[in-house]
Amino acid sequence: MSVLEEPLKTAVGDRTAKAMAEHLDLHTAGDLLHHYPRRYAERGELTRLADLEIDEHVTVVAQVEKAAMLGTGRGRRLEVVITDGSGRLTLVFFGRGAYHPQKELLPGRRALFAGKVTVFNRKRQLAHPDYKPLSGKDGAGADAEADEWAGKLLPLYPACRQLASWQLQQAVDTVLDGLEATGWEGVADPLPAALRAERGLVPLREALLKVHRPKTKADLWAARDRLKWDEAFVLQVALARRRHADGQLPAVPRVAPAGGLLADFDARLPFTLTEGQQRVSADIFADLATDHPMHRLLQGEVGSGKTLVALRAMLAVVDAGGQAAMLAPTEVLAQQHHRSITEMMGELAEAGLLGGAEHGTKVELLTGSSGAAARRRALLDLATGEAGIVVGTHALIEDKVHFHDLGLVVVDEQHRFGVEQRDALRAKGNRGDDKRTPHLLVMTATPIPRTVAMTVFGDLETSVLDQLPAGRSPIASHVVPAADKPHFLSRAWERVREEVEGGHQAYVVCPRIGDSAEETEPTGGKSGKSGKGAKGGKGAKEAPSPEDEAERRPPLAVLDVAAQLSAAPGAPLAGLKVEVLHGRMQPDAKDDVMRRFAAGEVDVLVATTVIEVGVNVPNATVMVIMDADRFGVSQLHQLRGRVGRGAAAGLCLLVTEMPEGTPARTRLDAVAATQDGFRLSRIDLEQRREGDVLGQAQSGARSSLRMLTVIDDEDVIAEARDAAAAIVAEDPELTAYPELRGALASLLDDEREQFLDKG
């Protein structure tokens, strides 16, 4: 076992090791050494107290300005005011806990303080903080200490209530001292020496020393450069090996013959494919023609024509004698895809029926609510090969579903599926002893920054559709500040009525359904600030801010809003045909509402995010999103993509009660300012930060990235990807790189390895 894999209790003791494991998820010496300082305080630098966040566990460097013992008897307390030049913070110690700090925290004394920031009587405070004096000397003694600390960078670690920053620093020092005493014996360097030399990177032992004990800022830069490369390179090697292994799997080449179903379909299209659609289709057809399975990610802006590209790929596979399955996350989306595909194909989707085309096939729909007769027919047609295409939900994964020759799996909005579900559907391509793997096309309408695509989807080839088809109209987006300017909301409903009177339709989106079975929490994204923050600790008397009030109010609900808009004679949309749509409706009822809305029989559809993806009603021109601050950036971009899909311009109104200048309002302003989904995805990622890039974000585990940030380190990730690909191409088993193999074993525990295998 590597020295870095030794349990922490051997170095820091059982009690400290237990606290580190429970509260910081640190278990081994390596975990601790890769728990890097959050930032560094320079000698003489005082941390800005003005920037502290309420409810944040903080470590600050500050100087005692004044201290006083107040009250009498059991109510005695010590209040200490500390300052850093930018602001002040009150420390309070009660009862017997006040006597020791009273002797140490004298005016002029500088110290480290750690605790949770709360509010009492409208002033921020730390109650019973941990502290560590940095100077208790005067005159020559103080000068000597100043010399000792001169130029030194003081590491400040991500901490918790149980472990202050300096306690973590002491533990790190203990581990580093032990490694130094043994000459770092047993600590392998995962980066090949040639790669380190080529990139000018310091050895691992030097990087760890410099990140925890930097003497200069140049030390920090050198350490960070090296440690970022470690994370990027080891991850990219894992993904490169996955791509290499995929390339060794057998698959049936699927080449569409000339003059077949695909040619007939192309001939009936009433428009010309965009250059992007033609380019991406060519890439997909080239992948399908190989004897190893395609693994391709197709991403593109809302309305860029991904479904058409996927359908042409499915038709090519059917032409070549195989079958294709499209997996959708919801019944509404599956029904929408089935309807769109059959409408685009026309008689080509009516094989075996009177009037069906010569080169046609059957297109089946299979969902959990499919009737018994329809289900039996679909299962039979899939087993015999009569149905070349099937669109469905999780129902496609059931054991009873068997394919005659599954050649292509298309996964729409892949982020809504677990890896096990995708893997289960692909496994249906294995027939008996024939272990050939179906080709895989993953689609997402959520624009993904290039660096994320290289990490999260690093084992997939990526295609991007960034060109909208001709005829798509622009979408104007505006923030409607309902609390600040109520008349703006009134005008929003007037605009909805004007669009309907002009022959168009509208969506109204709410975060919640509003029935008794529902939680009161919003279904969308958070606005980025806890509603508890501004109230502070026990005994606080400060009035809640408008932002707090907006967050504490239950999110608006579909059933309530629909009634308020249309029920009463004086309601904003009285007289219009208003219907509701949400996930708890019966499938037949949902499909009926969508059909009538698509047919123009419904003026306004009040819905949850069930209409977020795939719903295509070109006549819908306006969308009002209520409590828009409850949704994430990418989700808002997805939602507004439901309008402006026809010849008429689209309008999206983002209704919020959040005050101007708050993070939530800033986020909405960014959405309103641009239709560039890739730009918005960067904003979204900057706010949310990275989850675990190996897939553990789905279960809430912490990120495997500690130094690398996928939004800022694009160059490092791109270079690491190229270097990893070169090494894996030369030595797939990493026989010549035992240290790198060891690093991979540490990175890829069983669960993460399984994720890569199935992803």
Side-chain angles (χ1 to χ4, degrees), residues 478-523:
H478 303 282
V479 176
V480 178
D484 299 343
K485 300 177 180 177
H487 61 285
F488 276 34
L489 182 57
S490 300
R491 176 58 185 147
W493 301 128
E494 290 175 6
R495 285 291 292 116
V496 171
R497 185 177 288 277
E498 289 168 5
E499 289 295 313
V500 172
E501 290 172 352
H504 299 298
Q505 295 161 274
Y507 297 100
V508 176
V509 179
C510 302
R512 196 163 59 94
I513 299 172
D515 59 13
S516 58
E518 189 177 47
E519 297 287 339
T520 58
E521 287 297 312
T523 57

Side-chain angles (χ1 to χ4, degrees), residues 224-266:
R224 286 171 171 167
D225 286 347
R226 165 59 208 261
L227 296 171
K228 284 182 178 183
W229 252 92
D230 272 18
E231 293 180 2
F233 181 70
V234 174
L235 174 59
Q236 290 301 330
V237 167
L239 295 169
R241 293 185 76 196
R242 178 71 266 155
R243 290 194 302 273
H244 181 271
D246 288 339
Q248 309 308 305
L249 294 174
V252 178
R254 309 286 181 171
V255 181
L261 179 58
L262 176 60
D264 287 355
F265 174 77
D266 285 347

Side-chain angles (χ1 to χ4, degrees), residues 113 149 165 219-220 285 368 419 460 623 672 720:
F113 302 93
W149 285 83
S165 173
D219 283 351
L220 275 183
F285 293 153
V419 291
L460 299 174
M623 173 178 287

Side-chain angles (χ1 to χ4, degrees), residues 125-136:
Q125 68 174 24
L126 299 182
H128 277 287
D130 293 319
Y131 65 91
K132 179 183 179 183
L134 293 180
S135 175

Side-chain angles (χ1 to χ4, degrees), residues 403 405-407 425-431 434-438:
F403 290 85
D405 182 11
L406 180 59
L425 181 54
R426 293 183 66 201
K428 293 181 179 293
N430 298 333
R431 297 175 298 167
D434 188 350
K435 297 300 182 184
R436 293 178 295 183
T437 304

Side-chain angles (χ1 to χ4, degrees), residues 93-104:
F93 301 86
F94 297 98
R96 293 184 178 181
Y99 293 113
H100 190 64
Q102 182 185 20
K103 296 176 182 178
E104 290 197 317

Side-chain angles (χ1 to χ4, degrees), residues 419-459:
V419 291
E420 292 82 3
Q421 295 162 322
R422 301 197 293 270
D423 183 56
L425 181 54
R426 293 183 66 201
K428 293 181 179 293
N430 298 333
R431 297 175 298 167
D433 295 331
D434 188 350
K435 297 300 182 184
R436 293 178 295 183
T437 304
H439 299 279
L440 174 67
L441 179 64
V442 171
M443 297 198 302
T444 177
T446 302
I448 302 168
R450 177 171 174 259
T451 46
V452 179
M454 286 190 293
T455 48
V456 181
F457 303 104
D459 58 335

